Amino acid sequence: MTDRQFEDEKDQTITGKKKAYTRRSILKVGGLGALAFAASSYLPQSFQFEAAAKEHKKNGSTHGQHGSDRKNPVVMRHGFNPMKFLTHFDYGKKTRLSNGQVQREYEIVAEDKEIEVAPGVYYPAWTYNGAVPGPTIRCTEGDHLKINFINKSSHPHTIHFHGIHTGKMDGVFEIVPPGSSFLYEIDAAPFGLHVYHCHTSPLKKHIEKGLYGTFIIDPKQPRPKAKEMVMVMNGFDTNFDASNEFYTVNGVSNYYRDHPISLKVGESVRIYLSNLTEFDLINSFHLHGDVFRYYPTGTNLEQYELTDTVMQCQGQRGILEFSFNHPGRFMFHAHQSEFAELGWMGLFDVKE
């Protein structure tokens, strides 16, 4: 795709036909509301994004009929449910080869799709299986993986898996044009938390547009039982000025703030956390009311850092394990305050 085509695509942003939202304008609208939220109690709706949605409609968007339900302002219209995504793992179609090795088969489809990244704010994404992030692929170390990649989008794409594999399966030089497919075959190694993403040039455009997901390889001896979740930190440059206007976990701004995640006191929790944010050097996760054991990349079962805040650069990832000692509502969010005010905010609702 040429630079001229990228410039033309800027005109297709649908966060407002006459006036696209900027990072500064959203913070100007929502900063006081966000600070009040952080200083007091849970607010049922996002003031800044409701205001943005009203402006979006006023500016004459042809997508106004898809506006969000005021009673549930973050219900998605593109079929993606962040609460289900949080705990859904794709183990593929499992069979066993003649040598006894477990084989798992997956299908990943690249397609262009409009998604709603905040109430009333739409984004022309490039997706794996119709969502941002893409599906969470899960297997066990030593499994033979066959990933059938089908490109139904309007641009050439690939899938690059972090981890160990042959050069022919690296997803860098085997560019898959629109209407074509490619079969990746990998023996899963090493165990731990990995990511996958498109590696077609210009790389920043393909990641910015949403082509990434989580790749979990479990150790042969399973980790202790816990309530497991996937959280992918990301951002959306909705006016294509090389600066994110919205930040999210799992693709929807403030979703887990408006829909708190239910936990129980003493319940073991495990979060597979990764950062695929473009345009910012780092992103972060901060937990209120407790601390967590942080296992970088998850490739070691014993060595960890005990902390309540972790920073990750793009592509970095780690496993968080903790349990709450007390009931209540506890925040988790980016410890870059601006990111939190622009949508990277969530709540755990902990009960006895």
Side-chain angles (χ1 to χ4, degrees):
M1 192 178 191
T2 66
D3 291 339
R4 178 64 259 171
Q5 286 173 307
F6 287 151
E7 290 299 317
D8 291 342
E9 188 173 10
K10 291 181 181 180
D11 296 332
Q12 300 174 19
T13 179
I14 44 184
T15 55
K17 294 295 183 179
K18 295 183 180 179
K19 180 183 178 182
Y21 306 123
T22 66
R23 187 180 184 126
R24 184 181 296 273
S25 68
I26 295 170
L27 280 170
K28 185 177 181 181
V29 172
L32 292 176
L35 288 173
F37 165 74
S40 58
S41 60
Y42 167 69
L43 297 177
Q45 293 193 22
S46 169
F47 166 74
Q48 60 266 43
F49 294 140
E50 183 178 3
K54 289 179 179 178
E55 182 179 357
H56 172 69
K57 185 174 182 179
K58 181 181 68 176
N59 285 335
S61 168
T62 57
H63 299 266
Q65 66 271 26
H66 298 301
S68 300
D69 185 344
R70 288 179 59 85
K71 294 181 180 179
N72 192 5
V74 283
V75 169
M76 295 298 98
R77 306 305 186 195
H78 61 278
F80 179 64
N81 185 325
M83 193 61 75
K84 290 183 178 180
F85 177 87
L86 186 71
T87 57
H88 183 264
F89 305 95
D90 185 354
Y91 288 90
K93 180 182 177 182
K94 180 181 176 181
T95 56
R96 193 170 292 275
L97 301 176
S98 58
N99 63 0
Q101 184 180 22
V102 170
Q103 176 173 280
R104 299 182 187 272
E105 298 181 58
Y106 308 81
E107 181 174 279
I108 296 182
V109 179
E111 57 182 318
D112 305 340
K113 188 171 182 179
E114 175 187 311
I115 63 174
E116 191 177 10
V117 300
V121 180
Y122 297 83
Y123 181 74
W126 298 346
T127 73
Y128 288 133
N129 288 8
V132 179
T136 300
I137 296 175
R138 192 164 186 174
C139 59
T140 300
E141 186 177 29
D143 290 352
H144 183 70
L145 311 184
K146 298 178 72 173
I147 304 101
N148 185 28
F149 174 54
I150 303 171
N151 189 358
K152 293 185 178 181
S153 79
S154 56
H155 306 281
H157 297 304
T158 68
I159 306 179
H160 166 63
F161 294 92
H162 286 216
I164 301 173
H165 46 255
T166 67
K168 293 181 179 180
M169 296 294 150
D170 200 35
V172 175
F173 306 110
E174 305 78 24
I175 306 300
V176 183
S180 299
S181 63
F182 187 88
L183 181 64
Y184 295 94
E185 294 199 53
I186 298 171
D187 285 333
F191 76 79
L193 173 59
H194 308 288
V195 295
Y196 66 89
H197 56 84
C198 184
H199 216 294
T200 303
S201 183
L203 181 57
K204 69 177 182 180
K205 174 59 63 174
H206 290 250
I207 292 182
E208 168 207 341
K209 295 280 280 182
L211 289 170
Y212 45 77
T214 301
F215 176 35
I216 300 172
I217 302 178
D218 289 321
K220 293 182 179 180
Q221 181 65 37
R223 300 177 191 273
K225 187 177 180 180
K227 182 169 184 175
E228 297 189 321
M229 313 174 192
V230 172
M231 293 190 182
V232 180
M233 301 186 291
N234 59 358
F236 291 99
D237 174 19
T238 55
N239 65 2
F240 298 96
D241 64 349
S243 179
N244 293 311
E245 283 68 56
F246 297 90
Y247 292 89
T248 87
V249 163
N250 296 343
V252 183
S253 291
N254 285 330
Y255 188 90
Y256 302 113
R257 191 206 68 181
D258 293 330
H259 299 77
I261 299 169
S262 296
L263 296 177
K264 296 179 180 179
V265 172
E267 181 178 26
S268 296
V269 178
R270 179 176 298 119
I271 296 176
Y272 296 93
L273 178 74
S274 61
N275 178 31
L276 272 301
T277 309
E278 190 59 76
F279 303 126
D280 295 283
L281 294 178
I282 59 172
N283 207 327
S284 62
F285 179 104
H286 169 54
L287 179 68
H288 282 219
D290 216 312
V291 295
F292 53 81
R293 297 181 298 278
Y294 182 70
Y295 299 83
T297 316
T299 51
N300 190 299
L301 299 174
E302 298 177 356
Q303 297 179 358
Y304 60 85
E305 176 186 1
L306 191 64
T307 183
D308 64 5
T309 304
V310 63
M311 301 288 176
Q312 294 183 344
C313 67
Q314 187 188 92
Q316 198 167 4
R317 63 272 185 197
I319 298 175
L320 290 62
E321 295 183 344
F322 60 94
S323 62
F324 280 103
N325 294 328
H326 305 286
R329 285 192 168 184
F330 297 96
M331 286 183 180
F332 61 94
H333 58 86
H335 219 298
Q336 292 93 328
S337 299
E338 185 177 13
F339 292 11
E341 291 179 7
L342 289 172
W344 187 163
M345 177 72 72
L347 285 171
F348 291 118
D349 186 11
V350 184
K351 298 181 180 179
E352 294 284 3

